[in-house]
Amino acid sequence: MTENISVNLNGKVALITGSTSGIGLETARLLAKNGADVALHGFGRAEEIRRLVDEIGHETGRKVLHFSHDLADMLQASLLVDDVTAAFGKIDILVNNAGVQHVADIEAFPDAEWDRLIAVNLTAGFRTIKAVWPQMKSRRWGRIINTASTLALAAEPRKAAYVASKHGVLGLTREIALEGARFGITCNAICPAWVLTPLVAQQVEAKAATLGKSFQETAEIEFLTDMPTRRFVDPAEVGAAVLFLSSDLARSITGIALPVDGGSLTV
Ligand code: NAD
């Protein structure tokens, strides 16, 4: 589907947070295929991550390195930018994509989960942007893309911290777009609906267990009814939107919330 997409990112360096799995991984593959050197980032089994680094490097001929800073820790988020810059010489494209979820009624919502979601989903992006800003500003070129969600524009019960954090991501995106406009730095948010990644598979599995139904049936009756397309968004389709916003084609596009949602927000 995305094999024939092509823009020129030769000479660019991209840091994609949360790219050891799901949306971030497919985004990293696409950016590398289109010429960028990529810093993969996130958690996972060491041998699986080594395999991914080798695979993307071999397929694309680009430099690929992996980082595992814990974005629940504010200092680590800044350090990630410093370490990637030291390893690659610069960062041109910053994709703040790492994200976590916790689903619970408000009265039972654990304080620690609120803190963790706000830290990883929102505060880490503030820290990485702040850390990368001086270099992007001095080169007068930068692309910042934040993976928000349709839940940056709407709400869903039992997701207080996630919805609050993603609304915050959109606010941060608009603010940074204004501050970056004079310096050739764009900042945009991508708003996916349901994408079948580990983050969503866990939610489908939990619901299936409650309903006593299969994964497939639960997905169809509880999740895909939100989607006019009646299918999950493909992670690579989100990556394609990031690729476009990373390119020179999108230099006048800034401060937007781009839904990649199969039409779900229009229902
Ligand atoms: P995923 O679980 O497949 O990937 C999450 C990534 O974040 C992994 O690489 C993981 O290692 C990393 N990560 C998690 N906690 C971290 C931490 N403390 N420090 C560093 N890295 C950490 O999830 P995904 O569905 O690909 O989600 C990617 C982004 O897309 C998230 O921001 C999510 O909120 C957003 N999103 C997902 C969907 C969906 O339906 N899957 C929809 C809208 C938005």
Side-chain angles (χ1 to χ4, degrees), residues 16-26 41-44 49 66-73 76 80 96-101 116 119-121 124 146-151 162 165-166 169 190-203 232-233 235 238 260:
I16 304 108
T17 71
S19 49
T20 50
S21 132
I23 292 169
L25 176 57
E26 295 313 311
H41 162 266
F43 303 146
I49 290 173
H66 170 249
F67 301 80
S68 59
H69 300 59
D70 183 355
L71 297 183
D73 176 343
Q76 290 288 310
L80 171 63
N96 284 310
N97 170 77
V100 283
Q101 177 62 283
R116 185 175 75 100
V120 176
N121 295 359
N146 300 319
T147 312
S149 166
T150 49
L151 295 181
Y162 190 82
S165 69
K166 294 299 184 177
V169 167
I190 306 241
C191 299
W194 294 119
V195 188
L196 193 53
T197 66
L199 184 130
V200 164
Q202 282 165 12
Q203 295 173 60
F232 287 105
V233 174
V238 183
V260 183

Side-chain angles (χ1 to χ4, degrees), residues 100-248:
V100 283
Q101 177 62 283
H102 188 87
V103 182
D105 293 333
I106 189 64
E107 61 190 328
F109 208 98
D111 294 348
E113 285 300 310
W114 171 274
D115 289 345
R116 185 175 75 100
L117 264 69
I118 297 296
V120 176
N121 295 359
L122 177 58
T123 308
F126 160 72
R127 292 296 295 226
T128 55
I129 291 168
K130 188 174 166 185
V132 85
W133 201 252
Q135 51 168 300
M136 286 188 174
K137 197 168 143 185
S138 73
R139 288 193 298 272
R140 300 190 82 78
W141 200 99
R143 294 287 181 273
I144 299 169
I145 295 126
N146 300 319
T147 312
S149 166
T150 49
L151 295 181
L153 299 158
E156 194 175 296
R158 313 188 70 230
K159 293 188 175 173
Y162 190 82
V163 169
S165 69
K166 294 299 184 177
H167 276 63
V169 167
L170 187 49
L172 177 66
T173 300
R174 290 175 169 150
E175 162 63 29
I176 296 303
L178 293 182
E179 292 198 33
R182 284 179 303 133
F183 305 119
I185 303 170
T186 68
C187 182
N188 292 293
I190 306 241
C191 299
W194 294 119
V195 188
L196 193 53
T197 66
L199 184 130
V200 164
Q202 282 165 12
Q203 295 173 60
V204 180
E205 278 158 15
K207 194 75 184 177
T210 321
L211 298 175
K213 294 191 184 296
S214 71
F215 186 98
Q216 186 60 31
E217 197 180 351
T218 306
E220 278 166 18
I221 61 176
E222 294 285 327
F223 291 78
L224 296 179
T225 43
D226 294 346
M227 307 284 288
T229 49
R230 294 292 183 271
R231 66 172 180 85
F232 287 105
V233 174
D234 187 318
E237 294 172 326
V238 183
V242 177
L243 179 66
F244 170 64
L245 290 172
S246 300
S247 74
D248 276 325

